[in-house]
Amino acid sequence: MRTRHTSAAFAFALLLLAAPADAESGSLRIESTWPSAAQIARVLMLRDHNTRVVIAGTALLGLACGTIGTFLLLRRRALMGDAISHATLPGIAAAFLVMTAAGGSGKYLPGLLLGALVSGGLGVAGVLLIRNLTRIREDAALGIVLSVFFGLGVALLGVIQKMERGSAAGLESFIYGKTASMLQSDALLIGACALVITLVCALLFKELTLLCFDQEFCAAQGRRVLLLDAVMMTLVIAVTVIGLQAVGLILIIAMLIIPPAAARFWTDRLAASVTLAAAFGALSGIVGAGLSALAPRLPAGAIIVLVATGLFVVSLVFGPARGVLSRLRDHLRLARTVARQNLLRTMYEAYERAPAGPHAGVSREELLARRSWSPPRLRAALRRAQRESLLWRNSQGAFELTVEGLIQARRTVRNHRLWELYLIHHADIAPSHVDRDADQLEHVLGARMVAELESLMAAAAPAAAVPPSPHDLPDPRR
Amino acid sequence: MPLAALNWNPALDNWIVVAGVLCAVACALPGTFLMLRRMSMMGDAISHAVLPGLAIAFLFAESRNSVAMFAGAAVVGVLTALLTQWVHRLGKVEESASMGVVFTALFALGLLLIVRAADHVDLDPGCVLYGAIELVPLDTVHLAGTDVPRAVVTLAAIVLLNVLFILAFYKELKISSFDPALATTLGIHAGLMHYLLMIIVAVTTVAAFESVGSILVIAMLIVPAATAHLLTDRLSITLLLAAAIAAAAAVLGHLGAIALPPLLGFEDTSTSGMMAVMVGALFALALLAAPRHGVVSRLLVRLGLTLRITEEDMLGVLYRLEESGRTGESQRIISLMRQARGAGPVLARAALADLRRRGEIGGRRESVALTERGRTRARGLVRSHRLWEAYLERHWNVAPQRVHTSAERLEHVRDESIQRRLAERTDHAEVDPHGSAIPQRHPPDPRQQRQ
C-alpha cells in the first residue's frame, strides 16, 4: 500500500511535467488521502496565496543553490555543504540562548540566522584549519566538524528545552524544514539571497571559474585567491542558512549537490552548466512544492529532493555530454570501427599471401585462423561489413573485398605498417613486438598523425612510405 | 568527586554510561579503518542513508523487529556504498559528490517512508537523529538474574562482533586499507573487505541508533580515530587508543551533560550531544598537544629551526667581520646581524641570548665577539656557504654575482657527507667565486703556524 503511494507520486511528478492540467485526474485512483481534481487544479493554477509563496520560495532557493553549488562541486567541496549545514545548529541554539538571556524573544529570525551564519563560518574555518595544520585528511576533517558542531547544537537544544522561559518549539524546524508554512517574508529573504548570489556569480564569473579550475594560475594572475574563496564560501553558507528553514538541515545539502551534478551530464561548458543547474534546482523546487501542496502530510523537503534525484537519474542516463547512454554509444562505435578495421586488414593480408592471379577469396576458416577472435565476433563483423558493402560473398562461399573495401583496407594496412615502422625506428621496439602495439594504436590515427608519420618515415625509410603490395590485386567484381 | 552531588542515580546513570561506552567503542573500531581508507564521510553517509532501510523493515515486519531492522540496515548500508561507486564510475562524478547525491536522496526517501509508516509504528526522525540514551535503563531484559537494559545487551553484542571481525581480518583489513593493489596481489579480495566493512558500519550504526542517535554514531566513527591518528603511527595502537578515547569521551560526556549546565544555571542536557562535544574537545586537545603531529610541537620544531638559522646567519656575519679585521663596532655588528636574515628584534634577541648561553659568543653587551667554540661553528658555516657558491658557479653555471642568494639558503645544509662531496666536486677549491678564501674544516694548528 505504502510503496504504491510513493511510486504513484513519482508517476504524478512526471505527469505534471508533461501533461496539460486536465489530463491526469482521471488516470489516477482517487483515495481518501489522495487529492481531488479540484485540489490539483487549485495547485496548478496557483490559486492559493500560500501555495504561490511556497512554490516561489522553493524555486528561488533551488535556483540559488544550483548556481553556487556548481562552483562548490567544481572546487571538489561538495560535502562542505554537509559540514556547513550541520555546523549552523549550535549557532542557532546559542543565538536563541543569548537573545532569551538578553530579555528578548528567542525566536527573532534575523538573530537566529546571524548565529547560524557565524557558526557556519566557524565550521568552514575549522575544516580548513584541521586539514592544513595536521595530517588529518579532508574527509575526516569534514566529519569531525559536522559531528562535533552538531553534537554541540543538540546539547544546547537540550538545555533550551528544559528552560523555564521561552519554549524551544520551532527551533526543530531548522533541522527538518517547514516548507509548507513558509511565510511571504521568508520567500522574500530567499529571493534577495538568490538575487545576490546570481549577481555575484555573474560579476565574478571569470574569477570563480579560474579559482575552480586552476587555483595556482588564478593566484599567478594576481587575483586574491583567499578573498575569492572567502566570498564563495560566504555565499554557500548564506544560502545554506537561508535554506535551512525551507527544506531542513540535511536536505539543503542535496539541493547544493544534486542539481549541479545533474547539469554536468548535459554540457561541458561552465556557463551552460551553471544555468542548467539553476534551472534544475528551480524545477525541483516548483514540482516538489507543488506535489507537497497536494499531500500536506508528507515532508515537502524530502519530496523536493526526490524530484531533484529523479532529474539526476534522468541526466545520468540520457545526458548527451557524459551520460551513460551517450558514452555507451561512443564506446560501441569505437568497438565497431576496430572490428571493421581488423577484418579489413586480415582480408588484405590474406590477399597478399595468396598466390598470384585470380583467386577464390578468403574463407571464414582462414579468417578465423589468422586472428585470435571468437567465431561469433567474426560473424558479426562479417555481417556488418557485407551490409556496408565492403565485402561480398562469392559463389564458393568465400569472402572478397569490394572496391570500397579494398580502398579502406589499403588505408588501414598502410596505417598499421607506418606505425610498425615508426615504433621500430623511433621507439626502439623489437620488430617481433610491434604488431601488437600497432594493433592497438592504428585505430585511433587521425589524418594529421598519418601525415606526420609519413613525413617521419619518408626520411627514415622512404621505401616503406607505401605498404608493399607483393602481388597483383585481383578485381573482386570479376 | 562525590557523584551524589551531581544527582547521580546509580540505577540509571551507571547504565547510561555503560551504554554510551559500549556504543562509542563499537563505532571507534570500524571508524579507524574508515579513516585510513579516506572514507570517513562514508560513515556519515551510511548513518543517514540507513533510514529507508529501517523504514522498509518496519513496513514489512509491522513492528520494531530487531532482526528485520539489522537486515534492512545492512542491505541499505551496502547499497549506499554500491550506489556511490556506480554513480562515481558510470557518471564520472567525483566520489564525494556522488556520495552526497546518494545519501541525501536515500535520506529523503527514508523521511517519506517513515512519515508513511508512522501510522503503524512509533518512530520519529528526531529519535533517529539524537536518540534517547536517557531512556536506555527503562527498557530492560532479564539476564543472568538481573535486569539489564536491552540496549546494553545489543551494544555489547555489537562490540563483540566488531572485535571479532577485526581480529579475524586484521591482516586483510590492514593491507587493503594501506595498499589495495598490494592486497590484490597477495590474494586478498580488497573489494570484499570494503563491503564487509560497509556491512559492519551499517550494522553498528543501526544498533547505536536506537540508544544514542545517528549524530553520536558519526562523531564516534570519525573523531576518536582521527584523534588516535594524531597520537601514534602504529595501527594496533591506533585501534586501542581510538577505543579508549571513545570510552573516555562517553564517560566525560555523561558527566558533562549532568554537571556542566547546572554550573551556568540551567538544567541538565542531552547526553549524546555532550558526548560528541567531549570527543571533539579531546580531539582539539590532541590537535594542539600531540607529541609529533600536534600543532604546538610542530610550531616548536619550526621555531627551533628558525632560531638555528638566525643564529648561524649571525655567526656568519661575525666571522666575516673578523676576517676583514673589523671587530669591536658592536652596535653596527648587531644591526648587521639582524639584517642578515631580516630577523625581527625579538628573534634577534632570542638568537643572541641562545648563542651566549651556548658560549659561542662572548664579550659584554657592547662588544660582541666570537669565542673559540663559536668560531669553529662559524667557520664550518662560512666554509659551507663558499663551497656551495663554488659548486653552483662551476656546475650550474650560476653567474658569480648571483650565487650568493642561493648559497645563503643552502649553507644551512651542512651534512658531513654533502660537505665532503661538495669539496670533491669543486676540486677542493680554495677560493669562492668572489675571491674570498674558503676556510678549512680543520684550521691549521696554531703551534705549527708558529714554526
Side-chain angles (χ1 to χ4, degrees), chain B residues 225-246:
Chain B
T227 313
H229 191 55
L230 287 175
L231 297 173
T232 175
D233 290 336
R234 292 184 60 87
L235 177 60
S236 51
I237 299 179
T238 309
L239 278 168
L240 292 177
L241 262 181
I245 290 164

Side-chain angles (χ1 to χ4, degrees), chain A residues 300-385:
Chain A
I303 296 181
I304 294 175
V305 170
L306 286 177
V307 172
T309 311
L311 283 174
F312 176 82
V313 173
V314 170
S315 309
L316 172 76
V317 177
F318 298 105
R322 22 168 96 197
V324 172
L325 281 187
S326 85
R327 291 223 322 276
L328 196 66
R329 200 188 52 218
D330 291 348
H331 182 77
L332 279 182
R333 197 175 286 162
L334 181 67
R336 250 180 236 159
T337 311
V338 169
R340 185 182 65 228
Q341 293 184 346
N342 284 342
L343 177 66
L344 289 177
R345 186 158 63 82
T346 316
M347 287 288 294
Y348 191 90
E349 282 167 359
Y351 274 19
E352 278 182 333
R353 289 294 189 77
H359 68 96
V362 188
S363 69
R364 182 185 290 159
E365 290 67 37
E366 190 185 345
L367 284 173
L368 200 58
R370 280 184 172 275
R371 255 191 104 79
S372 58
W373 43 20
S374 61
R377 272 182 62 194
L378 175 61
R379 211 172 303 134
L382 282 171
R383 216 169 20 236
R384 201 168 301 114

Side-chain angles (χ1 to χ4, degrees), chain B residues 291-353:
Chain B
R292 271 185 53 215
H293 302 292
V295 172
V296 171
S297 75
R298 283 176 36 179
L299 198 66
L300 285 181
V301 167
R302 191 177 296 179
L303 271 181
L305 191 65
T306 312
L307 193 68
R308 199 198 91 196
I309 288 175
T310 313
E311 284 177 9
E312 291 188 346
D313 287 343
M314 289 183 158
L315 288 174
V317 170
L318 281 172
Y319 187 88
R320 290 187 181 94
L321 284 173
E322 240 177 37
E323 244 182 359
S324 57
R326 288 186 296 168
T327 46
E329 314 164 46
S330 54
Q331 276 314 315
R332 226 179 88 71
I333 291 174
I334 291 176
S335 85
L336 261 178
M337 294 199 308
R338 265 191 206 164
Q339 286 166 17
R341 213 185 152 73
V346 178
L347 186 58
R349 204 168 298 154
L352 275 178

Side-chain angles (χ1 to χ4, degrees), chain B residues 197-426:
Chain B
L197 188 64
M198 293 300 121
I199 292 179
I200 288 285
V201 169
V203 168
T204 307
T205 306
V206 176
F209 251 11
E210 270 197 295
S211 46
V212 299
S214 77
I215 200 62
L216 185 59
V217 173
I218 301 170
M220 290 301 175
L221 275 173
I222 300 173
V223 192
T227 313
H229 191 55
L230 287 175
L231 297 173
T232 175
D233 290 336
R234 292 184 60 87
L235 177 60
S236 51
I237 299 179
T238 309
L239 278 168
L240 292 177
L241 262 181
I245 290 164
V251 175
L252 287 175
H254 188 57
L255 282 175
I258 58 180
L260 274 187
L263 295 180
L264 301 171
F266 297 108
E267 303 236 352
D268 60 344
T269 181
S270 147
T271 292
S272 54
M274 231 26 210
M275 285 182 182
V277 174
M278 282 302 169
V279 79
L282 290 179
F283 173 77
L285 199 64
L287 180 81
L288 288 177
R292 271 185 53 215
H293 302 292
V295 172
V296 171
S297 75
R298 283 176 36 179
L299 198 66
L300 285 181
V301 167
R302 191 177 296 179
L303 271 181
L305 191 65
T306 312
L307 193 68
R308 199 198 91 196
I309 288 175
T310 313
E311 284 177 9
E312 291 188 346
D313 287 343
M314 289 183 158
L315 288 174
V317 170
L318 281 172
Y319 187 88
R320 290 187 181 94
L321 284 173
E322 240 177 37
E323 244 182 359
S324 57
R326 288 186 296 168
T327 46
E329 314 164 46
S330 54
Q331 276 314 315
R332 226 179 88 71
I333 291 174
I334 291 176
S335 85
L336 261 178
M337 294 199 308
R338 265 191 206 164
Q339 286 166 17
R341 213 185 152 73
V346 178
L347 186 58
R349 204 168 298 154
L352 275 178
D354 192 51
L355 284 172
R356 222 179 268 278
R357 188 182 57 78
R358 290 153 159 271
E360 290 178 342
I361 59 173
R364 275 171 297 115
R365 200 172 156 64
E366 300 80 40
S367 60
V368 180
L370 286 172
T371 62
E372 194 47 50
R373 199 158 153 196
R375 197 167 292 119
T376 314
R377 189 172 163 203
R379 189 184 302 115
L381 192 87
V382 173
R383 176 180 160 78
S384 161
H385 179 92
R386 292 183 181 161
L387 274 177
W388 273 114
E389 284 187 337
Y391 173 76
L392 286 174
E393 194 215 10
R394 203 174 286 199
H395 293 281
W396 291 85
N397 285 332
V398 184
Q401 61 269 28
R402 300 184 62 179
V403 289
H404 177 77
T405 326
S406 313
E408 194 65 21
R409 292 195 195 150
L410 290 167
E411 65 183 7
H412 304 287
V413 182
R414 290 198 295 132
D415 191 279
E416 190 68 25
S417 65
I418 289 181
Q419 295 290 310
R420 203 166 45 238
R421 285 177 61 183
L422 279 180
E424 279 165 17
R425 290 292 187 85
T426 52

Side-chain angles (χ1 to χ4, degrees), chain A residues 2 5-6 73 76 78-79 82 86 97 130 133-137 139-140 142-144 146-148 150-152 154-155 158-159 162-163 172 175-176 250-251 253-254 257-258 261 265 297-299 302-303 305-306 309 312 316 322 324 327, chain B residues 35 38-41 44 48 59 87 89-94 96-97 100-101 103-105 107-108 112 115-116 119-120 125-126 129-130 215 218-219 222-223 226 229-230 232-233 266-270 273-274 276-277 280 283 287 293 298:
Chain A
R2 305 293 165 192
H5 277 178
T6 337
L73 183 74
R76 298 181 162 267
L79 288 180
D82 196 1
H86 283 87
L97 278 173
I130 293 176
L133 286 183
T134 66
R135 67 202 304 228
I136 306 289
R137 298 191 202 94
D139 60 320
L142 287 169
I144 290 167
L146 86 84
S147 60
V148 173
F150 196 79
L152 183 63
V154 170
V159 167
K162 295 194 176 166
M163 258 171 26
E172 301 236 323
I175 299 178
Y176 302 110
I250 290 153
L251 299 179
I253 308 162
I257 302 178
I258 299 180
F265 291 112
R297 284 185 62 246
L298 296 180
I303 296 181
V305 170
L306 286 177
T309 311
F312 176 82
L316 172 76
R322 22 168 96 197
V324 172
R327 291 223 322 276
Chain B
M35 180 206 58
R38 309 184 184 209
M39 285 184 350
S40 293
M41 290 307 276
D44 175 47
H48 284 105
L59 289 174
V87 171
R89 291 238 183 91
L90 281 181
K92 306 227 165 193
V93 180
E94 189 210 336
S96 65
V101 171
F103 93 79
T104 51
F107 186 80
L112 269 191
V115 172
R116 300 303 309 176
D119 301 343
H120 291 294
L129 269 186
Y130 341 116
I215 200 62
I218 301 170
I222 300 173
V223 192
H229 191 55
L230 287 175
T232 175
D233 290 336
F266 297 108
E267 303 236 352
D268 60 344
T269 181
S270 147
M274 231 26 210
V277 174
F283 173 77
L287 180 81
H293 302 292
R298 283 176 36 179

Side-chain angles (χ1 to χ4, degrees), chain A residues 319-445:
Chain A
R322 22 168 96 197
V324 172
L325 281 187
S326 85
R327 291 223 322 276
L328 196 66
R329 200 188 52 218
D330 291 348
H331 182 77
L332 279 182
R333 197 175 286 162
L334 181 67
R336 250 180 236 159
T337 311
V338 169
R340 185 182 65 228
Q341 293 184 346
N342 284 342
L343 177 66
L344 289 177
R345 186 158 63 82
T346 316
M347 287 288 294
Y348 191 90
E349 282 167 359
Y351 274 19
E352 278 182 333
R353 289 294 189 77
H359 68 96
V362 188
S363 69
R364 182 185 290 159
E365 290 67 37
E366 190 185 345
L367 284 173
L368 200 58
R370 280 184 172 275
R371 255 191 104 79
S372 58
W373 43 20
S374 61
R377 272 182 62 194
L378 175 61
R379 211 172 303 134
L382 282 171
R383 216 169 20 236
R384 201 168 301 114
Q386 272 171 287
R387 207 163 49 231
E388 289 165 357
S389 32
L390 300 172
L391 293 179
W392 62 290
R393 203 165 186 179
N394 64 18
S395 48
Q396 287 95 40
F399 293 95
E400 293 186 39
L401 288 166
T402 64
V403 177
E404 172 63 21
L406 192 62
I407 295 171
Q408 285 203 20
R410 282 183 64 126
R411 201 185 305 141
T412 306
V413 173
R414 190 176 138 84
N415 285 354
H416 179 81
R417 296 196 178 151
L418 278 174
W419 254 124
E420 285 184 336
L421 285 169
Y422 174 80
L423 289 174
I424 292 168
H425 286 276
H426 293 274
D428 279 339
I429 294 179
S432 54
H433 282 62
V434 288
D435 187 48
R436 274 194 79 87
D437 295 340
D439 204 30
Q440 286 170 357
L441 285 166
E442 64 187 18
H443 308 293
V444 292
L445 289 182

Side-chain angles (χ1 to χ4, degrees), chain A residues 51-71:
Chain A
T51 314
R52 276 204 299 271
V53 167
V54 171
I55 289 186
T58 49
L60 286 168
L61 181 69
L63 183 109
C65 284
T67 309
I68 193 69
T70 306
F71 292 104

